[in-house]
Amino acid sequence: MGLLIDGQWHDQWYDTEKHGGEFVRESAKLRDWVTADGAPGPDGQPGRPAEAGRYHLYVSLACPWAHRTLIMRRLKGLEGLIGVSHTSPLMLDQGWTYHQDEGSSGDPLNGVDYHRELYTLTDPHYTGRVTVPALWDRQDGRIVNNESADLVRIFNTAFDGLTGNRLDLYPADLRETIDAVNADVYDHVNNGVYKAGFATEQAVYEKHVEALFAALDRLETRLAEWRYLAGEWLTEADIRLFTTLVRFDAVYHGHFKCNLRRIEDYPNLSNYLRELYQWPGVAETVNLDHIQRHYYMSHKTINPNGIVPAGPLLRLDRPHDRKRLPGRGIREKG
Ligand SMILES: N[C@@H](CCC(=O)N[C@@H](CS)C(=O)NCC(=O)O)C(=O)O
């Protein structure tokens, strides 16, 4: 894996030494927005208009951040409007690739072999990490946005006029709650597993594992009372937690050494995970083969021989008990 510096590829692992053994995630850099009419985004970001067939989503099926956008695309009925290409699960010295012999869909749109080419097509002098997901604008021939949190919000709204889909995963009156849960979940769970797994100092690893399990314990308590993270309505907060939970026992527990408990050991979290997995359309976005092969085969510093474990057997289609709590599904816009 590596990064681009002034448009040139450098094969480099994360530099934890410079941060005392800590993995520090770089912020996404391409943050333009898509809106119904091309007006600016919610914080004044430059906007582009929503049009059928204009945008294309580049993802890895292994990546929890990209997975958020795939679920939103499905729930919001965007499949006919926004195409998808997925990388090979392996992210090695050349970064993400579109090698079909390794399990990628290939890239019929731009015909690139390497994901980094989409970044240098966007900016020949691009400097930064080359990440998925990335939303591509076919008209301007560039990446519009490479931040999954933004793409979740864009998909929630921008294309409603074209699809007629009124589902609202970020309802105005729940935003304060959603933002607060998201902040905790991002820091300690979504990114927390990486901070533990990529730590190169014992004390740093221990600090992040403890913070991760303290957060999971808090979530377990919350989900004893509430069907979903923001209460009776399923929101983006649930999608954002789900993509980490569904990888947890299969990958983070072993590969990232997040092994104080499994999700399976938490009654509420495990039932909640199964409810979300069984939500119409969601299971089809989960590819545990890509997930396990990606982590165990790509991170040679952690697992040098690239052996992929045989288990665990997750059986996410087992019944769940969440119907005991009041739930109203996904809100419709008024
Ligand atoms: N902030 C980004 C993070 C995306 C991200 O880190 N994706 C990982 C895959 S799970 C990646 O592409 N990493 C490549 C790298 O860091 O070089 C988002 O949420 O969209």
Side-chain angles (χ1 to χ4, degrees):
M1 96 153 101
L3 77 169
L4 287 167
I5 301 174
D6 195 23
Q8 298 300 312
W9 180 252
H10 295 256
D11 178 20
Q12 257 173 45
W13 187 251
Y14 300 117
D15 185 359
T16 53
E17 253 176 53
K18 125 176 136 193
H19 304 288
E22 293 263 357
F23 162 67
V24 178
R25 186 176 293 281
E26 179 184 291
S27 300
K29 293 187 168 162
L30 303 168
R31 309 292 291 267
D32 283 6
W33 216 262
V34 180
T35 53
D37 55 2
D43 296 320
Q45 304 93 328
R48 286 149 201 270
E51 287 167 19
R54 175 164 170 175
Y55 301 95
H56 189 84
L57 188 60
Y58 286 94
V59 298
S60 152
L61 302 179
C63 168
W65 317 100
H67 193 180
R68 300 168 165 184
T69 67
L70 280 179
I71 295 174
M72 286 300 290
R73 172 175 175 266
R74 177 71 193 241
L75 295 177
K76 289 293 297 181
L78 295 168
E79 284 138 314
L81 271 66
I82 302 175
V84 173
S85 300
H86 67 260
T87 61
S88 150
L90 306 185
M91 190 188 64
L92 299 168
D93 53 340
Q94 301 295 320
W96 294 112
T97 77
Y98 292 94
H99 297 334
Q100 281 172 274
D101 55 350
E102 291 171 1
S104 167
S105 59
D107 172 29
L109 184 62
N110 287 295
V112 302
D113 288 326
Y114 301 104
H115 190 56
R116 63 170 184 268
E117 294 173 76
L118 300 171
Y119 280 75
T120 49
L121 286 167
T122 301
D123 172 4
H125 299 286
Y126 192 84
T127 293
R129 301 218 68 95
V130 171
T131 56
V132 286
L135 186 70
W136 182 263
D137 179 351
R138 302 174 69 150
Q139 183 169 308
D140 290 356
R142 54 169 295 145
I143 296 171
V144 179
N145 190 302
N146 70 342
E147 170 51 52
S148 62
D150 293 351
L151 293 171
V152 164
R153 302 259 166 97
I154 289 170
F155 288 0
N156 189 49
T157 308
F159 298 87
D160 287 2
L162 299 170
T163 59
N165 182 304
R166 307 290 303 154
L167 297 183
D168 190 0
L169 289 108
Y170 191 49
D173 57 313
L174 297 179
R175 286 185 188 173
E176 215 175 303
T177 309
I178 294 171
D179 290 346
V181 181
N182 281 351
D184 186 26
V185 168
Y186 172 79
D187 199 27
H188 302 114
V189 182
N190 300 143
N191 202 29
V193 293
Y194 284 90
K195 289 193 279 189
F198 286 152
T200 51
E201 294 283 343
Q202 183 70 29
V204 173
Y205 157 74
E206 284 172 12
K207 175 180 78 178
H208 291 305
V209 167
E210 276 163 29
L212 162 65
F213 281 92
L216 289 175
D217 293 350
R218 284 196 291 283
L219 293 167
E220 174 71 5
T221 305
R222 187 179 189 99
L223 291 170
E225 307 279 332
W226 287 15
R227 176 87 167 250
Y228 306 108
L229 290 179
E232 297 186 356
W233 297 101
L234 192 160
T235 69
E236 64 160 48
D238 301 295
I239 307 303
R240 292 168 50 126
L241 177 59
F242 170 77
T243 67
T244 296
L245 292 185
V246 78
R247 286 161 176 74
F248 202 95
D249 292 355
V251 170
Y252 303 141
H253 183 271
H255 184 65
F256 279 174
K257 304 183 184 71
C258 299
N259 60 4
L260 291 179
R261 289 176 278 288
R262 302 169 305 165
I263 298 306
E264 189 61 30
D265 301 323
Y266 286 102
N268 296 313
L269 278 169
S270 61
N271 276 281
Y272 166 85
L273 166 61
R274 291 203 294 283
E275 177 178 16
L276 295 182
Y277 178 81
Q278 293 165 26
W279 198 270
V282 171
E284 293 91 314
T285 66
V286 177
N287 188 318
L288 282 162
D289 174 58
H290 272 241
I291 290 170
Q292 281 203 312
R293 282 200 289 146
H294 165 63
Y295 286 91
Y296 282 101
M297 295 174 75
S298 302
H299 302 153
K300 298 283 188 190
T301 53
I302 303 178
N303 191 36
N305 291 320
I307 302 294
V308 182
L313 298 175
L314 292 177
R315 296 187 298 125
L316 293 169
D317 45 8
R318 272 175 299 154
H320 65 80
D321 69 1
R322 301 299 290 168
K323 292 196 180 99
R324 68 192 165 79
L325 295 168
R328 303 171 75 181
I330 303 175
R331 179 91 66 87
E332 295 245 353
K333 290 173 189 167

